[in-house]
Amino acid sequence: MSVIGDTTVQPFTVNFSEEDVADLRRRIAASRFPEKETTTDVEQGTPLATIKAVVDYWGNNYDFGRVERNVNAFPNYVTEIDGLDIHFIHARSPHEDALPIIITHGWPGSVVEQLKLIDPLVNPTKYGGSASDAFHVVVPSMPGYGWSGKPSEAGWSTERIAKAWVVLMEQLGYSRYVASGGDWGAVVTELLALEKPAGLAGIHVNMAGVVPPEIDGALATGNPVPPGTELSKEEQETVDQLKYVYSHVAYALVMASRPQSLTGLADSPAGLAAWLLDHDRASLEMIGRAFVDGEEGGLTRDDVCDNFTLFWLTNTGVSSGRLYRENKATFFGVKGVTVPTAVSVFPDEIYTAPRSWTEQAYPNLLHYNRLPKGGHFAAWEQPELLVSELRTGFQSLR
């Protein structure tokens, strides 16, 4: 146990009980399914064939010890910040002058999203990099997720999480650091930048908030782009993507308005899995191909079952969703970030940030790159590409 200032940071080990794993197995085996969807695509949500294949693999072929082993392969800790236990992985590099980085996951993710990044960032010389590419890596579980505490009262917004990350990095003794994230992690990272803590040297996001306010406001409310708005071809493509996104976010609206009604996520593993799968079309289709057709792309069946298992055994299906209710920040709109910023754009992200809007949103833009492959769960799907982006994006800040 190490003590930093007045705050105790305690070592933590993931330890799922045999009884809880046995109960999960029993519940998976007892799954009951609805009838087949009446469409031939994913427009009605997670297809019957996909969830049946998921349940079959999860119950009969998956190694339930994977999550424990994979997470425990790195140093884990818990500390109390603002009255709540915060779990985090903290892997220090052996290389001198490594740059500290805090990386934030999203929903329906967890710290398993970032596990593939940690060793290449910490030990770059093992993965084709140089010692000057090294990072000290901090990966926290957001409140209500994984092994962090579950807030018992309202108020744990994305802004409050950003403030907590400032405290965490100070407690760990880092006087200079960078931050990165996608999905909720991108929102939290940008809000962290708005805090302008003395130690924050720059940020990286792979779901950038670049949409001009008047356009973001119109699209978010189902209205057309304001008359007279001139859009380039690339900007129009982004607008079309966002129209689709805003008309297909029923899951977010439910969690924002009625999270406590999702009791089924705590009672049925199949129900939890189907809900977590239905985030965005490209990811759902990719995962469906992995389970139904055996066509594993960026994510393997084991990768996906790791996340299901973590959510189930920590019983965080409902508590994680409450962040949609707590959030007050725009997902995709400009937030006023002025710190040095690097942006990575993956082609199958729910929307692709145009360079023009990105340059306007971040006046101190260090790096902008459109990647050849990858989607919403970039750290999980394409860790090699994201590691390269982090090395390149922050190179000038070392």
Side-chain angles (χ1 to χ4, degrees):
M1 182 172 67
S2 61
V3 179
I4 302 175
D6 296 327
T7 301
T8 302
V9 177
Q10 297 180 325
F12 176 84
T13 301
V14 177
N15 184 20
F16 294 130
S17 73
E18 293 182 6
E19 292 79 9
D20 285 346
V21 172
D23 178 66
L24 171 56
R25 288 181 179 274
R26 178 185 63 79
R27 289 170 182 264
I28 291 174
S31 296
R32 186 176 71 163
F33 301 99
E35 65 285 348
K36 185 182 183 300
E37 62 277 7
T38 56
T39 60
T40 57
D41 53 28
V42 298
E43 288 301 294
Q44 291 186 356
T46 303
L48 178 62
T50 298
I51 192 58
K52 291 185 77 170
V54 165
V55 166
D56 178 68
Y57 185 85
W58 194 12
N60 297 311
N61 301 101
Y62 176 70
D63 175 1
F64 284 88
R66 275 178 51 99
V67 173
E68 277 191 27
R69 291 195 304 273
N70 292 347
V71 177
N72 286 336
F74 303 100
N76 286 254
Y77 303 90
V78 172
T79 188
E80 183 179 310
I81 299 176
D82 197 6
L84 195 72
D85 283 344
I86 298 296
H87 160 262
F88 61 98
I89 295 170
H90 183 200
R92 287 186 58 84
S93 175
H95 296 291
E96 189 176 355
D97 298 326
L99 179 63
I101 184 171
I102 182 168
I103 308 176
T104 309
H105 65 79
W107 186 96
S110 61
V111 294
V112 301
E113 282 187 65
Q114 280 79 33
L115 294 183
K116 297 175 187 177
L117 300 178
I118 297 174
D119 201 47
L121 292 174
V122 169
N123 297 296
T125 55
K126 290 170 52 180
Y127 299 88
S130 65
S132 61
D133 293 322
F135 291 86
H136 299 308
V137 178
V138 179
V139 182
S141 295
M142 290 194 296
Y145 290 72
W147 298 279
S148 282
K150 300 173 184 177
S152 59
E153 57 187 21
W156 270 98
S157 63
T158 43
E159 291 90 344
R160 190 170 176 181
I161 294 172
K163 289 179 169 63
W165 284 187
V166 175
V167 174
L168 176 60
M169 295 304 276
E170 290 174 350
Q171 288 178 0
L172 295 177
Y174 291 131
S175 59
R176 188 174 185 273
Y177 59 92
V178 294
S180 178
D183 192 82
W184 278 129
V187 176
V188 170
T189 297
E190 292 198 19
L191 294 175
L192 173 59
L194 295 187
E195 291 295 313
K196 297 183 178 179
L200 184 66
I203 67 168
H204 165 274
V205 288
N206 53 274
M207 193 187 79
V210 303
V211 184
E214 65 279 5
I215 296 177
D216 185 50
L219 297 178
T221 53
N223 292 310
V225 171
T229 303
E230 294 186 5
L231 300 172
S232 68
K233 179 182 178 182
E234 187 180 48
E235 292 166 352
Q236 183 61 58
E237 290 173 351
T238 300
V239 166
D240 293 339
Q241 290 170 337
L242 287 171
K243 286 179 180 178
Y244 181 86
V245 169
Y246 278 125
S247 63
H248 289 76
V249 289
Y251 68 89
L253 297 176
V254 171
M255 289 188 288
S257 60
R258 312 293 290 175
Q260 199 64 25
S261 293
L262 295 171
T263 301
L265 303 185
D267 187 61
S268 165
L272 175 68
W275 186 257
L276 297 179
L277 284 173
D278 192 17
H279 176 272
D280 66 279
R281 180 174 186 139
S283 298
L284 177 54
E285 290 177 337
M286 175 185 63
I287 293 170
R289 290 191 296 270
F291 280 96
V292 177
D293 304 322
E295 181 188 327
E296 294 186 341
L299 293 177
T300 69
R301 290 175 291 182
D302 285 334
D303 286 334
V304 177
C305 288
D306 286 345
N307 198 49
F308 295 156
T309 302
L310 185 155
F311 265 83
W312 179 266
L313 292 176
T314 57
N315 193 17
T316 47
V318 172
S319 60
S320 63
R322 290 198 186 98
L323 186 55
Y324 284 84
R325 186 175 184 86
E326 295 287 359
N327 178 59
K328 302 299 185 293
T330 171
F331 284 100
F332 313 119
V334 175
K335 299 178 185 64
V337 172
T338 58
V339 305
T341 302
V343 173
S344 301
V345 181
F346 289 83
D348 292 328
E349 178 57 274
I350 56 178
Y351 98 103
T352 52
R355 178 183 285 274
S356 57
W357 287 356
T358 303
E359 290 174 345
Q360 294 169 18
Y362 307 111
N364 202 346
L365 184 65
L366 298 175
H367 170 82
Y368 174 92
N369 189 31
R370 297 178 77 98
L371 284 301
K373 60 181 178 179
H376 185 70
F377 302 100
W380 211 14
E381 297 173 44
Q382 303 296 335
E384 296 87 357
L385 291 178
L386 191 56
V387 165
S388 178
E389 286 294 286
L390 292 172
R391 290 176 181 171
T392 302
F394 289 131
Q395 192 171 39
S396 65
L397 296 181
R398 290 184 178 273

